[in-house]
Structure formats: C-alpha cells, structure tokens
Amino acid sequence: MGGVGEPRGGRGPGEGPVRPGAPLPTFRWEQIRRHDLPGDKWLVIERRVYDISRWAQRHPGGSRLIGHHGAEDATDAFRAFHQDLGFVRKFLQPLLIGELALEEPGQDGGQNAQLVEDFRALRQAAEDMKLFEASPAFFAVLLGHILAMEVLAWLLICLLGPGWVPSTLAALVLAISQAQSWCLQHDLGHASVFRKSRWNHVAQQFVMGQLKGFSAHWWNFRHFQHHAKPNIFHKDPDVTVAPIFLLGESSVEYGKRKRRYLPYNHQHLYFFLIGPPLLTLVNFEVENLVYMLVCVQWADLLWAASFYARFFLSYVPFYGVPGALLFFVAVRVLESHWFVWITQMNHIPKEIGHEKHRDWASSQLAATRNVEPSFFIDWFSGHLNFQIEHHLFPTMPRHNYRRVAPLVQALCAKHGLSYEVKPFLTALVDIVRSLKKSGDIWLDAYLHQ
C-alpha cells in the first residue's frame, strides 16, 4: 500500500478509479475535507474514499442529496437510504479512489465513536427483528380506505346535491383522503412498502400523480434532502424559508445585518395567513409544476394531468367550472393545514441552523421529536408522530416504529441524548411559540446589535 495520499505507480487523487487488485491509496481527513466544492466531491463510506464529482449528476436521488455529504463519513446515510446495499455497492466500485489511513478514525471531527458503533448495533438488531419487513395487509388497508373516501366524497355530492352541507362534508372527506395519500406516497418514496425499489416507485407515481396531482420525482428530490440534513439551512428545503420566515440561527443573522423584509417579530401571526392555508395550494403547486417542466418529467406530468382530469370530470357536472375550481381550492386549503401542522410539529421547535457535521444519529435526534402515540394520532399523522424513529430508519415500515422505539430510547439514555415526546396539542402550539421566539430574537438583534 502506498503512503498517505501517495499511491504507488504515480497515480494521484482524482485521476480515476483504482484498478481491481491494485493497492488502495490512503487518505487523512484533512485531505478529504478539501474536496467539498462544486465539481469536486469526495465522501467516505465504510472507511473507503469515493470521488463522486462527476457521478453525482447521475445519482438517482439527485446531485444535491449526495453532495450534502461531501467530505463526510456517509456510511450511516448510505445504509439508511438504500434497501439492497449489495446492489448499490456495484455503482460505488468505479468511484473508489482509496481508503482512510489506518490511524484515522472512522468519522471526522469530534464525533462520538461509541455512539456511532452503538447505533449501528441498534440498526442490526432491528434488522434481526425483521423490523424492515412490511405488512402487505397494512398498506392494502391504507390504500383501500383512501379510495373509499374518494368514492364517498363523490357519492355525497351525487346523492345529496351540491349544497353547502354536503359540499362541506365532501371537502372534509377529500381533504382527509389527500392527507392520507401524502402519507402513503411518503411510505412508497422511502421504499418501505415493497421489496423491489421499482415497485415502490411505480406505486408512488400512481398515488402521487393520479390520487394527488403531484410529481413523485419532485417530492423525492426535496424530501430526501430534508432527511439527509434535517433542519440545516441551504440543505433542508423545509427550513430554508427566509426571508418569509426566520427560524433558528437565521433570526440573529438577519437582526445583526439589519435586514427587515417583513415584520418578523409578528411572524407568528402572519404565519396563520400564509403558512397553513397556502403551502399546498400555492407553493407546492407552483414548485411542483416548475420542477416537472424544467426537469422534463413528462411521465409525472401525465400522471398529474390524469388527477385533474378525473377531479374536474367528477365535479364539474355538479358545480360547473367556477364551482368545481372553488371546491378544489377548498380541498387544497384544508389539506394544506393538515400538512403544515402535522409535518412541522416535530421539527420547527427543534434546533435549526447551519451545518454542524454531526454523526447520523446525533443529527437526526437534534432535529426531531415525537408526539405521544394513540390509535387516532398514529392514523391521523401517518405515524409521523414517531418522527425520531422515522428519521433514524427512513426505510422502516411505519407500523414497526412502536417496536423499535424502546431500543432508540435506550440508546438515547445511554449516551445522554434527548428523546423528546410531547402531547399532540402542545406540539402544535410549540410551532407558534417557536416562530414568536425567533421573531423576538430577530427584533432584539435588530435593535441592539
């Protein structure tokens, strides 16, 4: 084996993959850290160093997702996102350029090696308990009750007429159906339903496209980044919301720089006007359409068109075009309220800021918390009340979160990590409290620094 960063035969870093059977060059973390630039990305998986600079654009999850782990140990992220590791490793082999020097730790910086080891043991225990195996009956019932609600909403209007009462009931039923469709496509996007990734993807396109009118590729593009780097500015799209809202560390930064695009000390109030009502109806609709057109996702566009065709063919005969549009807006607004409150009650009150380069378990725990479980909350939230378990194990079927939760709690207790669980209503109120706190911090920094 050659010296550190100096392989035999004069081959230097970046000159292509290692030939099969050739000795692997060795690198130190200080060398790897230099390769976290656009067009120059290395990462470490299972102590092996890979140059992903050119291949990142072909990464199925998108170049941003894999690029967020540049110059880091991505071992646990690699295992978290992929079902068939043996298959994926075939794509890694041509990218291999070396390995960590023997004296180098497996993780860069001041990460807790014992925590990393214990978390990997926990994951192995979960695999041994078969907690990554899905129940076909569970997901069949989920799809069945979504389709039943779609039919029920139409029957309410068909049998009772388009009056205010049946229209209100139908809108509520459709909003719940849309919310549950979000949850099911989310499961499929994480490949937690079928053994074959392809089957998950096809089913997700049907649910996301035909049942919701959105692009599966768009959702995966933004959502996987959220999972890779939760609550990290410019890496997690869910918290990169400035200058509309200020969260976490951005409050101080905007205050110190005297930036005042909006009255941020009142953001907890205007949140009710532009947050829950408009996220799905406006932001998601526009962002989704732009993504499909710019990224030339014609299949997703056809799936989405099939949703709108079905919806308006179903309801225009009762309401006419203007009435059907108004009915559609009502459903989207109701659905949007569900989406914002349910998805953000686990994240907004937690730490939000810039990259800290933590290990996988620590980074996920710092950005997530749970909500007290019950049969209703589990169903209503799509088991997103188990946000900690979901973020630690994204491909685990959600019906197994309750079983793995005690193991996660034991890991947190051993290492002094916070395993936070809140009552449902408290979790919702905490979103508003967090926005007010961030606004107050901004105002203080704006006035006094």
Side-chain angles (χ1 to χ4, degrees), residues 75 91 124 139 142 175 187 198 220 231 319 398 410 412 447:
T75 301
F91 295 90
Q124 185 59 55
F139 290 105
L142 284 180
D187 298 321
R198 177 64 180 166
N220 293 341
N231 285 14
Y319 293 105
R398 56 168 139 145
C412 292
L447 295 176

Side-chain angles (χ1 to χ4, degrees), residues 56 64 77 119 125 140 178 192 195 211 213 221 245 258 300 320 326 338 349 361 378 385 387 390 433 436:
R64 289 188 187 181
F119 172 72
Q178 288 292 294
S192 63
R195 292 181 181 272
L211 298 184
F221 169 76
F245 296 102
K258 307 302 180 184
D300 284 6
L326 181 61
W338 174 91
D378 292 356
N385 52 319
Q387 196 73 214
H390 172 56
R433 288 173 178 162
K436 185 177 188 307

